Amino acid sequence: MKQFITWFSRSVRHKFAILVALSVVVSVMLSFSLYAQDTIVYRSELRGVWLTNIDSDVLFDRDRLKSALQRLKELNFNTVYPTVWNWGYTLYPSQVAQKVIGKALDPTPELQQRDILKEIVTVGHKKGLRVIPWFEFGFMAPADSELAKRHPQWLTSRRDGSQIIKEGIHKRVWLNPFHPEVQQFLQNLIVEIVRNYKIDGIQFDDHFGLPAELGYDTYTITLYKKEHRDQAPSKNPKDAEWVRWRANKITNFLQQVFKAIKASRENCLVSIAPNPQWLSYPLFLADWQKWERLGLIEELIIQVYRDDLGSFAKELDYPEVKAAQSHIPVSIGIMTGLKDKFVPMQQIKTQVQTVRDRHFAGFSFFFYETLWNRTKEPLPERQSSFRDILTKEVRSQETGVRMST
């Protein structure tokens, strides 16, 4: 019996030692694995550009569009955001638009007999570019559009009953984002694209909100009274409670759209490209900070269109921006020029470096035509500069994340 006890004791000690050793090994392996995941992670930096039919002709010719996509790939861009909804029309053949607007496609002659979204998806994917269609106008429409004329009951207004908002020389009206028929129309357009095209995602911006001065139409006032014991909303469009109520309604609609997108295609990315929160929320009732917290944004690209470097950098350091960075990929929208605005290459380079220094997921340029076509600098020099920017390997000193082409 004594010999058995001695043997058993030695056996247990031996097995315990083995278990301890295995535990240590597993612990070390797990630690190494976690450390490796935290420090040796490779991902692609977002290098995007918006394609629009405003002040740009890139979409109006099949060969020109194909050549543009080829050039973007050669210069190491990896994502394009082509507009698919603006001027009150779709830029792809749409049965939803045909039924509601009376036209299935933007009537511009150069777009007839074509499906530019199909062209971009087909060519773009062959070249390794992500294609994320952009609902550029959101709830906005030209005042004289077929959409506005056919559905006047869908439009919202100011307190004085006026509806038109000037955007430069253009007269705009806004569809009422609280009206169920408007919501159904936009959701149907979005789901139509998600179901019919092999896109990588879909993008909205501040136009998926509403200028704060609007919302005083009969439908919205009635809805507000119904939820507030027949009390009318504040006469002050900037009133905090009135702003919050309208913003929450838009958030609720985005939740509905998000679910519809995922029900149609689970892997379709939902991208939002708003102004900074301090502009987006009070001016357009687009509370992207809340959208991000609710998990409705899977890619955030903040429009930081500033010439002054100090102002540009300041926008990148706001708490809500840093909070979003800890949850989702956050990139920065950088202005490369407008029709009547030249942005020098040196400014673009400096802003890209500022974005990289703060370890953002990447950047997207607004907009294609001003990369090198609408500029005061020679085309070869601009393209060469973009090639230099986009082939540069970036290594994050804080996270050990290397972003390369």
Side-chain angles (χ1 to χ4, degrees):
M1 185 65 178
K2 185 176 180 180
Q3 289 178 339
F4 174 79
I5 293 174
T6 301
W7 170 83
F8 181 80
S9 176
R10 288 176 178 173
S11 177
V12 168
R13 286 199 302 270
H14 179 66
K15 290 179 179 178
F16 180 76
I18 292 175
L19 287 173
V20 169
L22 286 173
S23 177
V24 170
V25 170
V26 170
S27 178
V28 169
M29 290 178 66
L30 284 173
S31 297
F32 177 79
S33 176
L34 291 173
Y35 175 80
Q37 290 177 5
D38 191 44
T39 60
I40 310 175
V41 180
Y42 298 89
R43 60 187 172 88
S44 294
E45 175 183 69
L46 171 66
R47 300 179 298 277
V49 62
W50 281 282
L51 309 179
T52 180
N53 61 340
I54 299 176
D55 298 329
S56 176
D57 60 4
V58 65
L59 301 178
F60 294 139
D61 181 86
R62 184 178 285 104
D63 291 337
R64 185 185 298 122
L65 176 57
K66 185 176 180 180
S67 177
L69 295 173
Q70 174 64 32
R71 196 66 180 135
L72 289 172
K73 179 57 180 177
E74 289 172 355
L75 296 175
N76 290 306
F77 283 84
N78 57 25
T79 306
V80 291
Y81 300 96
T83 185
V84 289
W85 167 247
N86 64 13
W87 295 104
Y89 298 107
T90 57
L91 276 81
Y92 64 95
S94 168
Q95 293 183 6
V96 174
Q98 177 66 56
K99 181 178 179 180
V100 173
I101 303 171
K103 288 184 172 63
L105 182 66
D106 185 305
T108 304
E110 292 86 350
L111 298 178
Q112 298 306 300
Q113 310 304 318
R114 292 177 60 201
D115 184 340
I116 64 167
L117 182 53
K118 183 177 180 180
E119 291 173 25
I120 294 171
V121 169
T122 301
V123 177
H125 281 174
K126 284 182 180 179
K127 299 184 182 306
L129 296 168
R130 288 195 313 161
V131 178
I132 300 181
W134 168 36
F135 266 70
E136 184 172 2
F137 265 43
F139 289 99
M140 187 173 71
D144 61 352
S145 63
E146 288 293 322
L147 179 59
K149 291 176 181 177
R150 281 175 171 249
H151 304 279
Q153 75 280 11
W154 285 6
L155 306 183
T156 185
S157 61
R158 299 183 183 88
R159 274 193 66 230
D160 62 6
S162 62
Q163 297 177 328
I164 293 176
I165 289 182
K166 291 292 288 292
E167 191 178 60
I169 63 173
H170 302 291
K171 295 180 179 180
R172 311 295 197 200
V173 291
W174 286 74
L175 303 177
N176 185 354
F178 319 117
H179 198 296
E181 292 179 5
V182 172
Q183 292 184 352
Q184 193 61 60
F185 168 59
L186 273 187
Q187 181 172 311
N188 287 347
L189 284 180
I190 294 163
V191 170
E192 180 180 51
I193 287 180
V194 174
R195 287 179 177 172
N196 295 341
Y197 297 88
K198 294 181 179 180
I199 56 175
D200 299 289
I202 201 146
Q203 187 181 80
F204 314 113
D205 58 22
D206 297 287
H207 290 151
F208 205 75
L210 181 74
E213 62 201 275
L214 302 178
Y216 288 94
D217 57 275
T218 301
Y219 180 88
T220 304
I221 297 299
T222 302
L223 179 61
Y224 184 91
K225 285 183 175 181
K226 183 179 179 181
E227 297 183 9
H228 292 83
R229 299 181 180 180
D230 208 37
Q231 179 182 348
S234 172
K235 295 179 181 179
N236 176 12
K238 297 181 181 179
D239 176 76
E241 190 278 333
W242 175 223
V243 167
R244 172 49 58 193
W245 183 84
R246 288 175 292 166
N248 283 344
K249 292 292 183 186
I250 292 170
T251 297
N252 293 343
F253 176 55
L254 181 59
Q255 287 180 304
Q256 177 182 317
V257 168
F258 186 93
K259 290 178 182 177
I261 291 171
K262 294 303 180 180
S264 299
R265 181 124 53 85
E266 180 63 31
N267 65 350
C268 181
L269 185 79
V270 176
S271 174
I272 306 290
N275 269 281
Q277 175 74 7
W278 65 271
L279 284 172
S280 180
Y281 174 62
L283 295 186
F284 287 98
L285 313 178
D287 189 1
W288 65 255
Q289 183 178 10
K290 184 173 184 178
W291 300 350
E292 190 275 324
R293 289 199 305 266
L294 291 173
L296 304 177
I297 304 177
E298 296 171 304
E299 175 189 82
L300 179 64
I301 307 176
I302 305 172
Q303 301 174 37
V304 185
Y305 302 151
R306 308 286 184 274
D307 292 330
D308 177 71
L309 183 58
S311 299
F312 180 87
K314 181 180 178 181
E315 297 291 355
L316 310 187
D317 294 332
Y318 279 107
E320 63 271 18
V321 176
K322 293 182 179 295
Q325 266 189 288
S326 67
H327 302 147
I328 58 174
V330 178
S331 300
I332 302 299
I334 294 175
M335 174 74 71
T336 53
L338 295 172
K339 177 181 179 180
D340 300 315
K341 176 183 174 63
F342 166 65
V343 176
M345 196 68 222
Q346 186 55 51
Q347 176 178 309
I348 297 169
K349 287 182 177 179
T350 302
Q351 292 187 352
V352 167
Q353 190 56 51
T354 302
V355 168
R356 284 171 166 168
D357 288 344
R358 284 164 172 75
H359 314 295
F360 283 92
F363 42 84
S364 187
F365 297 121
F366 187 84
F367 59 106
Y368 172 79
E369 210 67 36
T370 59
L371 293 178
W372 46 73
N373 291 332
R374 285 183 178 268
T375 174
K376 296 178 182 179
E377 297 169 336
L379 183 148
E381 290 183 15
R382 292 278 287 201
Q383 291 190 346
S384 178
S385 293
F386 277 108
R387 180 184 288 106
D388 290 343
I389 290 174
L390 301 176
T391 55
K392 181 180 179 182
E393 184 182 86
V394 184
R395 184 172 179 82
S396 164
Q397 296 178 354
E398 290 185 0
T399 63
V401 175
R402 186 166 64 192
M403 298 175 289
S404 64
T405 59

